[in-house]
Amino acid sequence: MKTPGIVSTISELRGQIAQWREGHELVGLVPTMGALHEGHLSLVRETQKHCQKLVVSIFVNPAQFAPHEDFDRYPRSLESDADKLSTVGADLIFAPSVAEMYPAGFATSIEVGGPSRGLETDFRPHFFGGVATVVAKLLIAALPDYAIFGEKDYQQLLVIRRLTHDLGLPIEIGGGAIVREADGLAMSSRNAYLKPDERRIAGTLNVILKDTTAKLRSGATIATAESGATAALIAAGFKSVDYVAVRDASTLERIERLDSPARILAAVKIGGTRLIDNMAV
Ligand code: PAF
């Protein structure tokens, strides 16, 4: 058990990283919005394979929530997050205030095209602008050698890879495999919103995606697979399906056939909660 230090300003973060750099240590960054679960801890463990020193940022980023979304009720638990991080040996927590990340007069936003088009953007048009801006700021603040993002937000991972490449940031972007509950539900801080009956239905999302993937592999067309999965999700009790889509795994462009690596991605609503999941086809 090693209790990580906590800093809240970019200048303190840079000061600590500069000290590590003097000892020629490789630095990793795990950006999070807190409410940490096993999925985040697996990102920490993966990053430790690449770096000697590890920073976890915890910042609930207002710019990636629309006014009607859950910014106010998003779980915040810095103390228990720090306890969890001490069990995996994180070195430093960067937990800035909103004013530190968005000082008065802040007027810059980063817009990424390419993989941010469609899917999440059709339903959360504000989302990737907010993510790209805060992630660019975090990456530039820490300038780590390696940063990791979970594959649960697969489109986000591709958007961040695009952004890092396009801005020429000398940072390797890793993707962390999805960590799931016993019934297959992808771990997410938002799972805490689910009532018991919703939680039971939520577990079927992954089962239906797996089943759809099996059908695709045995020859179902993409259109049939997508519409079959949508019908199965509604029958399982989800309130609505934002999308179920089979796309090219590296560009997220629409595809007609499965002749290159593909990914199935879905977003559904249950009660007041929106869930996403995806898997390789
Ligand atoms: O995936 C998340 O938790 C967030 O979108 C991120 C990447 C930390 C940016 O706020």
Side-chain angles (χ1 to χ4, degrees):
M1 290 267 281
K2 173 175 77 175
T3 310
I6 303 186
V7 296
S8 58
T9 65
I10 293 173
S11 105
E12 290 168 303
L13 172 71
R14 287 191 171 141
Q16 175 60 81
I17 291 176
Q19 255 183 33
W20 291 336
R21 294 275 184 218
E22 278 173 20
H24 303 285
E25 297 191 283
L26 294 177
V27 178
L29 174 68
V30 183
T32 80
M33 298 208 299
L36 302 181
H37 49 67
E38 191 49 42
H40 297 110
L41 301 186
S42 78
L43 299 180
V44 168
R45 290 188 199 101
E46 183 57 34
T47 304
Q48 283 165 333
K49 294 181 192 158
H50 299 256
C51 308
Q52 289 90 43
K53 293 290 179 189
L54 186 129
V55 181
V56 176
S57 67
I58 296 183
F59 179 62
V60 184
N61 171 34
Q64 67 191 76
F65 291 80
H68 65 277
E69 291 183 345
D70 54 343
F71 176 70
D72 288 333
R73 73 171 179 140
Y74 197 87
R76 287 159 174 88
S77 49
L78 184 56
E79 229 171 88
S80 76
D81 287 347
D83 287 346
K84 287 176 192 159
L85 290 173
S86 69
T87 68
V88 286
D91 298 283
L92 187 69
I93 297 174
F94 174 52
S97 64
V98 172
E100 178 71 9
M101 293 303 278
Y102 299 109
F106 190 92
T108 298
S109 69
I110 297 204
E111 197 193 313
V112 182
S116 78
R117 299 209 180 93
L119 302 174
E120 285 300 291
T121 297
D122 290 342
F123 296 88
R124 306 184 70 203
H126 58 284
F127 181 65
F128 287 122
V131 167
T133 304
V134 84
V135 169
K137 228 182 137 146
L138 290 167
L139 293 178
I140 291 166
L143 279 182
D145 299 283
Y146 180 91
I148 194 167
F149 298 83
E151 284 187 348
K152 187 181 79 76
D153 295 87
Y154 189 79
Q155 190 176 9
Q156 168 176 279
L157 171 62
L158 295 193
V159 168
I160 292 167
R161 286 211 166 112
R162 183 78 261 163
L163 154 101
T164 308
H165 185 266
D166 290 354
L167 296 182
L169 300 175
I171 301 166
E172 185 187 342
I173 302 295
I178 300 177
V179 179
R180 299 183 180 280
E181 304 286 357
D183 64 352
L185 177 64
M187 287 196 187
S188 162
S189 309
R190 288 189 167 103
N191 292 350
Y193 300 153
L194 297 169
K195 300 190 184 111
D197 54 329
E198 295 169 349
R199 171 65 191 82
R200 187 182 46 74
I201 294 166
T204 65
L205 170 58
N206 182 246
V207 176
I208 291 167
L209 289 188
K210 262 202 216 148
D211 188 43
T212 307
T213 301
K215 287 185 179 137
L216 282 161
R217 284 184 185 149
S218 49
T221 65
I222 289 176
T224 314
E226 289 173 347
S227 61
T230 303
L233 288 162
I234 296 296
F238 289 97
K239 187 171 81 179
S240 58
V241 176
D242 283 354
Y243 58 82
V244 179
V246 179
R247 296 290 175 93
D248 180 277
S250 53
T251 63
L252 295 184
E253 275 163 19
R254 286 176 201 281
I255 49 174
E256 301 287 322
R257 282 176 307 280
L258 292 178
D259 39 21
S260 57
R263 199 97 189 168
I264 183 164
L265 305 101
V268 294
K269 290 203 186 99
I270 181 160
T273 308
R274 187 169 183 277
L275 302 174
I276 58 173
D277 197 357
N278 68 86
M279 65 181 64
V281 174

